[in-house]
């Protein structure tokens, strides 16, 4: 992963802290980007994404242990019309994850910019560590991006990547975001059709799920792999259609259209279009910069339309 650099070498600002040998079972790969800024100049934040576990630390008695945080994940990204915010946490040891998701009118990025500065979140910027063989991720990751190109990037699967006090502030702030005015999304009672398209260099998959008045659906699919083309048509039961609609709602998928793309590129171009009975259409892509657990909603619908039917 790090080539043939020795532990003390610093090439392109990357300082190797530890490195496992090839085929080694266990061990830790760790490095530090010495060029990563410890102070951020920009005030124009475009992405805030912090996840951390606190299951490996013991808290001193001054904290209220009745509602202690065992895990927190907070994500905010500014779109064309509003802010997409995600807040998940666990307040019981190995208890359920409580999740909230909203598309709100308020621009929360100034608040998060202040929080980053107040908590010194950039002090460990550029540090990344992965210990192999752990049964679960006992740490987390930080990714904060700014319009200037500056960013804060930290990861460690051994222990918390932020301080507990910072986690409490993030928890309180995102709790307040969920109370802000929400941007109403289109009601799905008028949804008439869902279209999925995957374009590849060697072919394509295109499917259209027509929703019937009785709650069932009809899925028509065309695909080409190399020189071979296929067509199919299958019925979709009402339970599956209902699950698809719940996925669209629970993942706020109609809000994805104006969100920025993630950094890494896909090998294929995938899109999904929702067609309503008044001919309004909303088209989204699967490459939006949103949490994996939310983005997976796209894949679940794609699976129903392009593989199962």
């Amino acid at each position: 992963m790090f080539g043939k650099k020795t532990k003390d070498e610093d090439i392109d600002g990357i300082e190797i802290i530890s490195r496992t040998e090839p085929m080694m079972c266990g061990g830790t790969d760790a490095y530090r980007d010495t060029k990563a800024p410890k102070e951020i100049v920009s005030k124009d934040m475009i992405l805030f994404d912090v996840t951390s576990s606190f299951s490996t630390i013991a808290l001193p008695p001054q904290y209220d242990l009745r509602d202690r945080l065992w895990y927190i994940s907070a994500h905010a990204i500014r779109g064309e019309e509003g802010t997409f915010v995600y807040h998940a946490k666990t307040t019981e040891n190995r208890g359920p994850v409580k999740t909230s998701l909203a598309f709100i009118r308020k621009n929360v990025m100034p608040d998060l910019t202040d929080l980053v500065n107040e908590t010194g979140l950039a002090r460990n910027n550029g540090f990344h560590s992965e210990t192999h063989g752990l049964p679960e991720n006992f740490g987390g990751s930080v990714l904060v991006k700014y319009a200037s190109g500056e960013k804060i990037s930290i990861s460690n699967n051994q222990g918390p990547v932020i301080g507990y006090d910072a986690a409490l502030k993030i928890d309180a702030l995102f709790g307040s975001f969920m109370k802000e005015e929400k941007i109403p999304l289109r009601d799905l009672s008028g949804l008439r059709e869902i279209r999925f398209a995957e374009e590849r260099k060697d072919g394509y998959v295109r499917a259209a799920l027509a929703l019937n008045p009785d709650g069932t659906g009809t899925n028509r699919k065309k695909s080409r792999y190399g020189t071979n083309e296929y067509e199919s048509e299958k019925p979709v039961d009402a339970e599956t259609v209902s699950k698809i609609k719940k996925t669209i709602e629970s993942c706020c998928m109609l809000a994805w259209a104006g969100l920025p793309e993630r950094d890494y590129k896909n090998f294929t171009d995938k899109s999904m279009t929702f067609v309503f009975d008044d001919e309004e259409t909303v088209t989204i892509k699967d490459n939006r910069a949103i949490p994996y657990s939310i983005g997976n909603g796209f894949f679940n619908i794609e699976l129903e339309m392009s593989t199962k039917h």
Side-chain angles (χ1 to χ4, degrees), residues 3 37 89 91 117 129 205 207 301:
K89 65 179 181 178
T91 54
N117 294 334
S129 177
V205 176
I301 299 177

Side-chain angles (χ1 to χ4, degrees), residues 234-254:
K234 290 189 178 182
V236 181
D237 59 66
E239 181 181 0
T240 300
V241 170
S242 178
K243 287 181 179 178
I244 289 174
K245 285 186 173 183
K246 287 179 181 178
T247 298
I248 297 169
E249 289 179 339
S250 64
C251 296
C252 289
M253 292 180 72
L254 296 182

Side-chain angles (χ1 to χ4, degrees), residues 40-85:
I40 303 297
V41 176
S42 175
K43 301 295 183 183
D44 189 4
M45 184 187 295
I46 57 176
L47 171 69
F48 180 93
D49 191 354
V50 174
T51 296
S52 187
S53 169
F54 297 94
S55 62
T56 59
I57 65 171
L59 297 179
Q62 65 261 33
Y63 292 102
D64 186 352
L65 302 183
R66 293 170 299 180
D67 292 317
R68 71 156 287 179
L69 286 173
W70 292 88
Y71 166 87
I72 187 169
S73 183
H75 182 104
I77 187 166
R78 185 70 180 168
E80 295 175 359
E81 298 181 4
T83 308
F84 193 90
V85 288

